[in-house]
Amino acid sequence: MNWKLAKNFCLFLLIGLNIFLFIMLNVSDRKYKLSDEQISAIINLLDKNNIKCENVIKKFKPKRQLKFFDTKIDTEKIKKIFAADKEKILIFSDYGFNLKFLTPSQKYVDENDCKKILKKVKDSATNFKRDYTVKNKIVYRQKFLGFIVFDNFMSFTFENGFLKEISYSFRQPENFFGSAFEIYPPDMILYEFMKNDDALKNDAYYINKFDFVYKFVDSQKNVASPSYSISYNDNYKIFFDAFSGNSFSP
């Protein structure tokens, strides 16, 4: 046997296989990624409908659902952090709490203070990121394996610069489960948004944030589905189920 010839043949076969795999991976990526032409088309269509959008999600690969442990809030821990008095009302739910100041806190609270409070409340291993700021409000949401878990959050509401209310909700993500299904492409979601009754009623003119998140569709079940979240006009939000493309309320 000509071993040199056989070795060269195997080498060329390996190179050919790598080229094939590279092409297939890129084709697969393009299949689930908006082209520049598609992005320009939807941006132009939004402009014609007098809606500005500066950020369009590009990738939309198949997704699975996300399962959660039935986590309960540690009430004793929260009570120690926020000592209740006649100026505060602390109300617990199964997965979180709401703290209201009957009169705005006299100490000025900035973003660094918010981060310190969040650090005390959340589990040390859990990652929260600042999500968005609207008038008089700062919100942090969990990021799990690169995805925003919308219903795991801590929000701070202010009145004239002073802290008025803190809300927190959290269920521990377990893992993704089930089969991965194709999701609606982002440009189709934006097209559905333009026709949405709420967006029309509220005279949508500016999309503040366009995100891909995991959202509890049924709050009684510890399962979240992939969803698109559109914040617009500074105050409004619409969700779209990524599997069906249908809108639903927050």
Side-chain angles (χ1 to χ4, degrees), residues 115-234:
K115 289 179 180 178
K116 290 176 183 177
I117 296 171
L118 174 61
K119 188 175 181 180
K120 289 181 181 179
V121 172
K122 76 177 184 68
D123 182 272
S124 59
T126 305
N127 186 28
F128 274 73
K129 295 291 185 181
R130 181 169 171 171
D131 180 19
Y132 70 94
T133 302
V134 295
K135 188 177 181 181
N136 297 327
K137 197 168 187 176
I138 295 176
V139 182
Y140 298 88
R141 300 192 192 278
Q142 184 190 15
K143 290 206 76 174
F144 177 73
L145 298 179
F147 294 102
I148 298 170
V149 182
F150 189 86
D151 296 291
N152 284 352
F153 70 89
M154 177 170 266
S155 66
F156 299 84
T157 304
F158 299 86
E159 185 177 290
N160 299 322
F162 294 94
L163 190 57
K164 179 68 175 177
E165 184 176 350
I166 301 173
S167 294
Y168 177 78
S169 182
F170 181 79
R171 276 180 261 192
Q172 179 62 48
E174 182 178 351
N175 212 336
F176 298 101
F177 77 101
S179 301
F181 294 98
E182 292 193 359
I183 63 174
Y184 265 61
D187 55 342
M188 289 300 297
I189 294 297
L190 289 171
Y191 178 70
E192 292 298 324
F193 170 77
M194 284 186 281
K195 302 187 299 176
N196 184 271
D197 289 339
D198 286 339
L200 292 171
K201 180 180 69 177
N202 295 321
D203 192 25
Y205 62 87
Y206 183 74
I207 295 176
N208 301 90
K209 286 201 73 177
F210 182 30
D211 285 322
F212 185 86
V213 304
Y214 273 85
K215 179 89 175 67
F216 289 113
V217 178
D218 185 345
S219 61
Q220 301 303 313
K221 297 179 180 179
N222 288 319
V223 174
S225 288
S227 308
Y228 289 98
S229 167
I230 297 180
S231 301
Y232 68 102
N233 291 12
D234 295 323

